[in-house]
Amino acid sequence: KGKNAMGLPTLEFSDSFLDSPDFRERLQCHEIELERTNRFIKDLIKDGNMLISALKSLSLAVQRFSQSLQEFQFECIGDAETDDEVNIAQSLKEFSQLLSTMEEERKRLIQNADDVLISPLEKFRKEQIGAVKEEKKQFDKETERYYSVLEKHLSLSSKKKESQLHEADSQMSKDRQIFYDASLQYVFKIQEVQERKKFEFVEPLLAFLQGLFTFYHEGYELASEFEPYKQQLQFNLQNARNNFESTRAEVERLMKRIRSAEEDFKAPSCFTMEGYLYIQEKRPLGSVWTRYYCTYERSSKMFTMSNTEIRPASRQNGVVHNTPEMFRLRSCVRRKTDSIDKRFCFDIEVVERHGVITLQALSEANRRLWMEAMDGKEPIYTLPSLLSKKEETFLNEAGFKFVKKCIELVEARGITTLGLYRTGGVNSKVQRLMTSVFASTAASDMQLEADAWDTKTITSGLKDYFRCLAEPLLTYRLHKDFIRAARYDELNHRVRAIHALVHKLPEKNRTMLDLLTNHLLKVSSHSDENMMTVSNLGMIFGPTLMRSQEETVAAMMNIKFQNIVVEIIIENHDKIFGEAPDLSVPLPQAPSSRSTPRRSKAICLSSGKRRARLYPPALCLADNDSDTFSSSSSTTPMGSQESLSSHSSEKNGLSQTSPPSSPAAEPSSPSSKQSSPPAASSCSLPQNGKGQKPPTDSASSPHLLPSASWTSTQLTPTQQTSSVSSSTSSLLSAVEKSIKRNSVESLASGKESGSPSRASTSTSSAQNSSVERASSLREAGPVQRVADAKALYSCEAEHSHELSFPQGALFSNVCPSVEPGWLQATYNGRTGLVPENYITYM
């Protein structure tokens, strides 16, 4: 290619012999250019080192940030948590792990930068440009010597002897040759380096950028893998927000009612308390009040009393010697003002004594502090009616007629109404409806004219009827038992416990519950149109069908569990009311409080290879008690999909979240459950086995799917009448092919904790199945469909009830197990559990 007008001039070897001023000028152009390159490389090395140093500082800062997230632990109010709360609390550790993974990559980039960028540039500058400088020195030296020798030679007298002149010519010829050699060598080297810099200088920069982009690409990969976890967490957050809204409304209502009953009521908080109290002591002739110095230690519930009334017998050298009496507190209740002739009193019950001990505080504020420290309760008294002038209703014939008529009307004309039961009717109309049915003047053969009442008024009236029952439908007597049942870690334990409790309800209550939840199940089966999933219905009917007799903030904090109870009854309606409860296998002790560490995390990004999974779209939900609906964007889901808050994994055909967690024990041996965080399982997907990496195509990458493509319009009649809320069924047709294609696709490798999944919903139940299996799981109770299967990956068991197997192992008798995300299978004559996403059906 010819010389560019702006390029360096070519140096010909023949020019070395002429050594013309023009040649020297051209040579200088090369020297200037080379010096400029040299300076540039020096600056680049300096800037490169600064960049590496900045990357190191950034990496340290991110690691510190990640460590802070790792160390913080959320705590929730109350002594138990929903699966959503567990996953949200776990999320900080997940974020920390994600950042740590990125920093591992950044460390590699930093280590790489020195090897591929700084060292090669330094080497090029020293070895190549340095060599040219050496050649220049030599050339300058020879130039000076040659011209000085030439001058001397030319000044020789021609009168010298022939032999002397001949010798001088010969020497001159040698000197000229040395000069030419130096010139030729320099011309060769300077041009060689000019050409060499094109690649030797640019290659290290390319290698550095390649490293940088590898780091960025890892970030992109990680973001893709994070997407399903992010969506799951958004559902958890939305569920928590919805629970918060419904709980907050109830707590606020309680606060207003307490305010009207006692002006200076103060919210409870956790104090350990000490100070003087007067204690009522029964005597033959009435009672006396004695002053004691008392202490209360909250965590151990220990209450001590030291008598300070000075009696001569107990006094020595002016000092009172008195051993304090110690008790373990059972309960503390404020004394009603009208029940005792003293002010500032409260009663406590202790383990060591029968009956109550009545104590008198020093002032109203002091009494409040003692009660707060002891988790004291308000006495149960008739607060202003919750129903604000509404009539009390009863489970009588009129009630049954009214409920049946409402259900009939809703099912006949309004079952697909958007936000059915969530959107309230106009208060005055609802009041008119209730009066026309339940007022003493109402006709006994009650008729609801369809034309007279709109659907919103009917649904609000139905909710009002249940809210106004003298006792809630699920009764005060069984309230605590239902709450305990909803707190079980295992879904099947929750369902079995609630099933048994429903059968303990009085017959009238059970008949009414059957009638209502059967209707609500039908409502949820149209959730693709009305948006009322089982989860959303649970949130509306939880506080309506259940309420605690004690109206305290602590009781309000259980509303989230009330919602779970109602969800389970709706979703398992056919089983609960169609079959007798199975009492043959005893349930483990219900978790009453959070004494052990949190259950193992239910959703997580494990450290193995992870692949994106299909996620259902966000739902459109209204705000609580609002008449307006807000459409959610695909990025921030506004509603919960099916029963994410608690328990519907076994029935949902599509996975809602994560990798399988190892079960801690088979149902028959609940005692083996671990209470401390278990070690990571050794099951892991291959890092890069040939053909083993599940494909990441558009079907399996939710972030590539436009939300519009999820609309479920092509439902088969069987799917529409499925007993499960159709928010799941409606997705089946949309993803049928991709489930078959990505039959074993998994969000995470099995590097997962070894105890049961806390959020049973979170565990996948359909990655490795055809739609046939997905729909079989939706029936009430797991269907024992037996098949043969083959292992896609090897796995090493961590518990006696799990199977170890190599890649390619053949299993027989494969069927669903009670552990979500795990299958039961036989291999080499041994039957045990295998991770569902590790096998493919044959």
Side-chain angles (χ1 to χ4, degrees), residues 676-749:
S676 57
S681 154
S682 48
C683 296
S684 61
L685 292 179
Q687 293 301 308
N688 43 14
K690 248 191 180 173
Q692 289 167 340
K693 199 170 178 184
T696 309
D697 54 20
S698 63
S700 60
S701 304
H703 52 280
L704 299 177
L705 279 171
S707 54
S709 69
W710 283 97
T711 49
S712 49
T713 47
Q714 304 154 356
L715 285 177
T716 63
T718 42
Q719 285 166 327
Q720 284 171 332
T721 55
S722 151
S723 66
V724 173
S725 156
S726 61
S727 63
T728 305
S729 327
S730 62
L731 289 165
L732 286 172
S733 58
V735 296
E736 181 171 323
K737 289 173 192 159
S738 65
I739 290 183
K740 284 178 178 165
R741 183 166 61 247
N742 303 320
S743 60
V744 207
E745 191 166 33
S746 157
L747 165 66
S749 74

Side-chain angles (χ1 to χ4, degrees), residues 404 519 549 634:
K404 282 177 185 166
H519 164 63
Q549 199 161 7
S634 59

Side-chain angles (χ1 to χ4, degrees), residues 82-87 228-240 242-243 491 494 533-536 539 564 567 571 602-603 615-619 637-649 652 654-658 727-728 757-764:
T82 63
D83 299 328
D84 295 309
E85 288 167 339
V86 173
N87 292 343
Y229 175 83
K230 184 193 83 175
Q231 293 202 14
Q232 170 62 29
L233 187 58
Q234 283 173 322
F235 283 129
N236 293 137
L237 290 165
Q238 188 57 42
N239 266 357
N242 289 348
N243 275 326
L491 166 62
R494 292 179 203 175
T533 60
V534 173
S535 175
N536 295 333
M539 226 161 263
I564 287 171
E567 280 181 57
E571 195 156 45
I603 54 177
Y615 271 80
L619 284 184
M638 284 298 295
S640 52
Q641 181 65 325
E642 217 20 72
S643 306
L644 274 176
S645 61
S646 58
H647 53 265
S648 61
S649 65
N652 283 357
L654 266 188
S655 149
Q656 309 272 3
T657 28
S658 76
S727 63
T728 305
S757 162
R758 167 93 191 235
S760 43
T761 4
S762 309
T763 317
S764 152

Side-chain angles (χ1 to χ4, degrees), residues 49-70:
N49 280 324
M50 278 170 68
L51 173 61
I52 289 168
S53 162
L55 285 172
K56 282 178 182 168
S57 301
L58 171 62
S59 189
L60 277 172
V62 176
Q63 283 169 60
R64 274 198 298 272
F65 181 70
S66 164
Q67 191 59 34
S68 302
L69 290 178
Q70 182 69 32

Side-chain angles (χ1 to χ4, degrees), residues 408-425:
E408 201 180 295
L409 285 177
V410 170
E411 289 183 3
R413 69 177 188 197
I415 202 158
T416 58
T417 307
L418 191 64
L420 189 66
Y421 288 109
R422 185 182 268 279
T423 314

